[in-house]
Amino acid sequence: MGDEFAHFDGARVRYRDSGGAGPVVLMTHGIGESLEFWHRQFDALGASLRLIAWDMPGHGLSDERADAVDLAGQAAVAWKLLDQLGVGRVHLVGNSLGAAMSLRMAAQTPGRVGSLLLANSAALGAEVF
């Protein structure tokens, strides 16, 4: 299991896929972090679940994207990544900014989201959509 890059819309997005046998879980890091944030989950659960961690655009080794400067744009890129990987239904796990972005993903395409785990979520409050 190593890092891979998805290429679409002229930019690359780095991700790691455990290839586990169970349900698909997309794990999204917080601001200033990268997919390495999730290394313990890969060690503990990577064989029993299909864990996918990624570097949001402008983080880690993923390219910046003009269409991904807000939560809605980041969420749209995540869906493009999952589409490229052939993932239909997904469980979303996010930390901080990644939790807020996961919530936006669920709002964009609720029929594809099996569950949400929001850890220390940023941008929750009365102003959230």
Side-chain angles (χ1 to χ4, degrees):
M1 166 184 53
D3 295 350
E4 299 182 48
F5 289 90
H7 298 269
F8 46 85
D9 302 331
R12 67 183 192 158
V13 173
R14 181 176 70 142
Y15 69 95
R16 184 174 296 159
D17 187 339
S18 75
V24 180
V25 179
L26 179 69
M27 300 182 301
T28 304
H29 59 79
I31 194 165
E33 290 285 345
S34 67
L35 61 78
E36 280 83 14
F37 179 82
W38 302 106
H39 73 276
R40 288 187 178 100
Q41 286 74 22
F42 274 86
D43 292 344
L45 301 169
S48 60
L49 299 170
R50 182 177 177 195
L51 301 180
I52 300 170
W54 67 305
D55 289 342
M56 289 191 292
H59 291 78
L61 298 178
S62 288
D63 294 337
E64 291 186 19
R65 297 173 56 102
D67 63 345
V69 295
D70 60 10
L71 292 175
Q74 295 276 4
V77 170
W79 285 121
K80 289 179 184 181
L81 172 63
L82 291 172
D83 289 344
Q84 188 165 330
L85 296 176
V87 174
R89 192 159 178 81
V90 65
H91 300 277
L92 302 175
V93 174
N95 179 62
S96 189
L97 177 64
M101 193 282 309
S102 296
L103 187 60
R104 183 58 60 135
M105 286 180 72
Q108 286 178 346
T109 314
R112 289 179 65 182
V113 177
S115 64
L116 277 169
L117 189 153
L118 307 176
N120 195 30
S121 187
L124 290 182
E127 70 280 359
V128 174
F129 67 96

